[in-house]
């Protein structure tokens, strides 16, 4: 547990870095006009999935910089639910890429998955947005508590909005997210060090 807390600062940055890497691999893969299924599709989505996994301990580490409260608990819970839905989305993309022989079949498999009642809302249109909204609210709470500078919030918002305009901006979006959260890294590391410090009883 303590070792995990010591690596918490790494996880905070690893999540956005995963988004940057996903965007860069995607741009490279699309440069020849053919993207998926294939190794490039799998590599991009596996990197993205790894980034989402890293966001889980990263979000938890950031939340520990705030006092315990129902608000903190609710925001973290919503963020993690959104993360889980996003992971399912990337997982589905990976499976569809493995099963399909060409782009048309991959699109057909994706459409069949989305046709399952509740899937589109739960894993695509609505619930995954809880992750981005929750992360933004968490950053706002950290800024209000002077754990992040005020400029981190609009920078994080830009990192979230830019890829929504076009996925080609994923690398820039991920970089904005990393820069927005970076000022919290020293505090996260200090928190881990305090947790590892031995308790002296007088």
């Amino acid at each position: 547990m303590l070792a995990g807390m010591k690596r918490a600062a790494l996880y905070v940055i690893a999540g956005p870095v995963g988004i940057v890497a996903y965007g860069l691999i995607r741009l490279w893969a699309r440069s020849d006009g053919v993207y998926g299924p294939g190794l490039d599709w799998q590599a991009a989505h596996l990197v993205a999935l790894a980034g989402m996994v890293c966001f889980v301990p990263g979000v938890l580490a950031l939340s520990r910089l705030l006092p315990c409260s129902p608000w903190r608990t609710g925001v973290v819970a919503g963020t993690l639910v959104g993360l889980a839905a996003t992971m399912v989305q990337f997982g589905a993309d990976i499976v569809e890429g493995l099963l399909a022989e060409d782009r048309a079949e991959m699109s057909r498999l994706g459409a069949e998955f989305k046709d399952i009642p509740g899937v589109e809302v739960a894993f695509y249109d609505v619930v995954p947005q809880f992750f981005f909204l929750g992360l933004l609210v968490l950053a706002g709470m950290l800024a209000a508590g002077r754990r992040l500078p005020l400029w981190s919030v609009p920078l994080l918002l830009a990192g979230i909005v830019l890829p929504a305009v076009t996925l080609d901006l994923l690398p820039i979006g991920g970089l904005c997210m990393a820069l927005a959260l970076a000022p919290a890294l020293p505090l996260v590391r200090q928190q881990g060090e305090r947790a590892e410090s031995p308790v002296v009883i007088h």
Side-chain angles (χ1 to χ4, degrees), residues 84-86 88-90 113 118-128:
T86 304
V88 171
Q89 181 183 143
F90 280 115
F113 180 57
V119 163
E120 196 157 7
V121 170
F123 303 124
Y124 290 91
D125 293 343
V126 179
V127 180

Side-chain angles (χ1 to χ4, degrees), residues 158-170:
I160 292 171
V161 170
L162 286 175
V165 176
T166 169
L167 291 178
D168 290 344
L169 293 176
L170 273 167

Side-chain angles (χ1 to χ4, degrees), residues 46-144:
L46 284 170
V47 167
L49 181 59
M52 295 301 107
V53 171
C54 288
F55 264 116
V56 174
V59 166
L60 293 174
L62 290 171
S63 72
R64 294 190 191 103
L65 299 178
L66 296 168
C68 186
S69 70
W71 272 104
R72 188 190 79 169
T73 301
V75 170
V76 170
T79 306
L80 295 182
V81 167
L83 263 172
T86 304
M87 291 178 201
V88 171
Q89 181 183 143
F90 280 115
D93 288 343
I94 291 168
V95 171
E96 289 157 11
L98 287 172
L99 295 177
E101 293 185 359
D102 53 33
R103 181 77 190 189
E105 186 177 4
M106 192 170 65
S107 297
R108 181 182 61 78
L109 290 172
E112 288 179 358
F113 180 57
K114 289 181 180 179
D115 283 343
I116 298 173
V119 163
E120 196 157 7
V121 170
F123 303 124
Y124 290 91
D125 293 343
V126 179
V127 180
Q129 312 315 318
F130 292 175
F131 160 54
F132 300 105
L133 178 60
L135 189 62
L136 187 63
V137 173
L138 182 61
M141 294 170 69
L142 288 166

